[in-house]
Amino acid sequence: MKKRVLSGVQPSGNLHIGNYLGALKNWVEIQYDYESIFCIVDLHAITVYQKPEELRNNIRTLAALFLACGVDPKHSAVVVQSTVKQHAELAWLLTCVTPVGWLERMTQYKAKAALQETIGDGILQYPVLMAADILLYQAHVVPVGDDQAQHLELTRDIAQRFNSLYGETFVMPETKLPAVGARIMGLDEPDKKMSKSATGAGHAVALLDPPEVIRKKIMRATTDSNPAVDFAALGAGVRNLLTIYQAFAGCTDEQIRSRFEGMRYGDLKKQVAEIVVESLAPIQQRYREITASPEYLDAVLEESAARVRPVAEATVALVKDRMGVYSRR
Ligand code: ATP
Ligand code: LTN
């Protein structure tokens, strides 16, 4: 039997090239090597307030973008998390074996908590729900960007603790980072991760940005006071632009060095902008085709959920049985 791969993205805003290079591009490349499940994690998105109408739209946009990026729904399941209720059910069962100290140590939790005066319990529980997404399907491999590595370690800790308390139940999932592009930085602030929730106009290139917007954002990207690329002294902004180019072009470190060493920043930016525009064009074209038939998208989402539900039911039944909670004989 093929091993399983699972990953997810929150429908919390516009998908950007960081999400694509860190996660989706990798999913598409490995999908046929596994039994693949890709989730639109709406229950994670609501850990911070989302306008209901926007969230509804974002879920559909994200599903269409998964397909537009090359997720093949004939092979891979595209699942809206809330449509398979066992995600939430398993999350509760796992909450009961998770020490709160483990959750309070999460970097993402600490960063989000620092921004708010009162903090929702959902933000603290967020990684337990993520562990549930993964363990529900006994996924072996989880392709994500670098920022999720700590949540995956926690997932393994939770699985291990459950297994030692109640007997071998869960597969230990492995983190799979892309070789290039695991952490794309903001174009305007190259010391911060590119993020959907950042507000700066020039922060991120969205997958659906028109070519002229992409060019403008990249031409305005923050660099440093040097005039040209010097591999002996790369600033964060220039390094980020080179990484974006390399991840889209799929070339080696040596090829990048020989192509760009000594190049003026203006010319580097033009080349980066062109490869981004060229790479996103077919995705944008497919996106327009997919969104032209909403029934098709609904059918994919329904069929995918129906396909994975039996696995989810079996895992929750096993976990409940192991824990001794009531189940009909
Ligand atoms: P938010 O700003 O709302 O936290 P996000 O941009 O971090 O959103 P997520 O939905 O949290 O996006 O992430 C989806 C996937 O994209 C995850 O696998 C994550 O690791 C990856 N990812 C997110 N940002 C980046 C980035 N800057 N570089 C590489 N991968 C990224
Ligand atoms: N927390 C992840 C999204 C996510 C996820 C998952 C990723 C939710 N459940 C399961 C991989 C596997 C994020 O990118 N912010």
Side-chain angles (χ1 to χ4, degrees):
M1 221 173 66
K2 274 191 186 169
K3 288 187 173 179
R4 233 174 243 139
V5 68
L6 178 136
S7 197
V9 178
Q10 304 181 74
S12 53
N14 292 332
L15 216 63
H16 52 72
I17 55 173
N19 301 129
Y20 178 69
L21 298 174
L24 272 100
K25 183 167 176 283
N26 208 1
W27 303 357
V28 169
E29 283 164 9
I30 64 174
Q31 64 182 331
Y32 298 110
D33 298 337
Y34 298 91
E35 191 185 313
S36 305
I37 305 173
F38 301 116
C39 298
I40 294 136
V41 292
D42 51 351
L43 299 177
H44 277 102
I46 56 171
T47 55
V48 298
Y49 177 79
Q50 305 285 329
K51 290 192 183 127
E53 206 44 47
E54 264 175 33
L55 180 59
R56 262 189 285 278
N57 289 332
N58 282 340
I59 291 169
R60 298 188 68 83
T61 303
L62 190 55
L65 272 173
F66 280 14
L67 303 184
C69 288
V71 170
D72 172 4
K74 289 200 198 73
H75 175 79
S76 306
V78 178
V79 176
V80 179
Q81 184 189 36
S82 63
T83 66
V84 179
K85 63 178 196 250
Q86 285 79 9
H87 286 256
E89 192 173 4
L90 182 59
W92 174 256
L93 299 169
L94 295 178
T95 291
C96 298
V97 302
T98 307
V100 78
W102 289 4
L103 301 176
E104 285 167 342
R105 273 201 293 277
M106 293 293 107
T107 320
Q108 199 164 303
Y109 167 73
K110 287 195 277 189
K112 285 186 181 169
L115 299 175
Q116 282 153 298
E117 228 162 71
T118 59
I119 161 131
D121 189 24
I123 304 254
L124 184 66
Q125 297 296 323
Y126 181 109
V128 183
L129 179 59
M130 175 161 164
D133 297 338
I134 297 164
L135 302 177
L136 186 57
Y137 301 105
Q138 305 282 14
H140 298 85
V141 173
V142 184
V144 284
D146 166 72
D147 61 316
Q148 295 304 312
Q150 194 188 35
H151 286 160
L152 276 160
E153 267 167 48
L154 181 82
T155 300
R156 286 188 288 272
D157 288 343
I158 293 173
Q160 223 139 37
R161 191 175 164 96
F162 189 97
N163 286 354
S164 70
L165 284 170
Y166 296 109
E168 274 312 299
T169 306
F170 294 119
V171 166
M172 285 302 138
E174 189 189 303
T175 309
K176 192 170 171 62
L177 302 179
V180 181
R183 189 178 190 83
I184 300 295
M185 310 308 280
L187 294 174
D188 56 346
E189 299 172 295
D191 56 334
K192 297 214 175 84
K193 172 185 100 85
M194 186 178 282
S195 147
K196 280 195 234 106
S197 42
T199 46
H203 177 78
V205 171
L207 295 192
L208 296 175
D209 276 346
E212 59 283 8
V213 173
I214 298 175
R215 290 193 184 99
K216 201 188 281 171
K217 285 179 177 173
I218 292 176
M219 294 311 291
R220 288 190 187 157
T222 304
T223 49
D224 49 55
S225 52
N226 293 337
V229 179
D230 174 4
F231 278 85
L234 284 182
V238 175
R239 187 188 301 275
N240 191 41
L241 290 170
L242 291 167
T243 302
I244 292 171
Y245 187 96
Q246 183 174 6
F248 275 110
C251 48
T252 62
D253 292 353
E254 284 67 41
Q255 287 167 326
I256 289 292
R257 187 182 276 263
S258 67
R259 184 175 185 117
F260 292 109
E261 177 73 64
M263 188 182 281
R264 302 190 65 81
Y265 290 163
D267 293 327
L268 163 70
K269 286 175 170 179
K270 273 187 205 145
Q271 296 211 18
V272 175
E274 283 327 298
I275 198 154
V276 175
V277 167
E278 250 172 56
S279 308
L280 297 187
I283 294 176
Q284 298 182 350
Q285 176 58 29
R286 281 198 295 272
Y287 177 81
R288 284 189 287 271
E289 289 160 17
I290 292 158
T291 47
S293 52
E295 321 72 45
Y296 168 70
L297 199 59
D298 286 324
V300 165
L301 296 177
E302 268 167 44
E303 192 275 324
S304 292
R307 203 179 334 155
V308 302
R309 225 172 254 129
V311 182
E313 284 166 357
T315 305
V316 167
L318 174 66
V319 170
K320 283 172 135 179
D321 183 57
R322 289 277 152 91
M323 295 180 95
V325 299
Y326 179 78
S327 59
R328 212 175 333 162
R329 286 174 198 268

